[in-house]
Amino acid sequence: MKFASSYILLLVHQTEDLHGLESLLGRLRCPVEIVSSPDQAGDRIRQNPPCLVIVQGNHSNWSQSFVRQLRTIADANNITLVALSDSHAPSWLHQEENPGFDGFLVKPLSFDVLFSLIQSASARQLCRSIV
């Protein structure tokens, strides 16, 4: 499948947790960039907006002000913003305390869920850029 944007950005705290996700993205033949700091993420998004940003790691690793800033950038560029969490140990706030994510992914991820998310994010960015 050809996606509207050139890549997906992963903002990770620990890269060793990404093997399953990278494998799924590889099966989708979807270009991925991995960054480990808020500054790197902000710079990369401003240079070339992805269709999807996946933020991995405990919510205490990323400040709420950073997530709000990321939300502002995402809104301006039609980017879908999601957080990734473990099913056995949810690491993000309850939805009603959501600092600005479009949604939450729970590991382990399935191919179908990730494929659907990427299709949706790509379509969202493409449709908003046409309007």
Side-chain angles (χ1 to χ4, degrees):
M1 170 173 193
K2 177 74 173 144
F3 297 106
S5 183
S6 58
Y7 73 105
I8 292 170
L9 184 69
L10 300 177
L11 174 56
V12 301
H13 183 67
Q14 297 176 349
T15 56
E16 62 269 4
D17 292 338
L18 292 178
H19 299 300
L21 182 57
E22 284 181 307
S23 174
L24 287 173
L25 290 169
R27 286 178 51 200
L28 291 169
R29 297 186 184 139
C30 188
V32 177
E33 287 200 31
I34 300 172
V35 295
S36 59
S37 78
D39 290 339
Q40 289 175 326
D43 289 346
R44 188 63 189 115
I45 291 168
R46 285 182 194 95
Q47 290 171 3
N48 183 20
C51 69
L52 174 64
V53 175
I54 300 174
V55 178
Q56 178 267 334
N58 189 298
H59 74 275
S60 63
N61 296 333
W62 316 111
S63 72
Q64 284 196 5
S65 63
F66 165 69
V67 176
R68 281 191 295 273
Q69 177 186 10
L70 194 58
R71 173 78 270 156
T72 301
I73 296 168
D75 287 345
N77 293 284
N78 304 317
I79 299 167
T80 300
L81 178 61
V82 297
L84 179 62
S85 183
D86 288 312
S87 62
H88 66 282
S91 58
W92 288 91
L93 304 170
H94 297 286
Q95 182 63 34
E96 58 271 7
E97 299 171 4
N98 177 1
F101 292 104
D102 293 310
F104 295 84
L105 292 172
V106 179
K107 293 189 290 185
L109 292 174
S110 73
F111 179 87
D112 292 337
V113 167
L114 192 57
F115 181 75
S116 178
L117 174 64
I118 295 168
Q119 278 187 314
S120 175
S122 184
R124 175 183 180 191
Q125 191 174 56
L126 181 62
C127 288
R128 288 191 180 173
S129 67
I130 293 173
V131 174

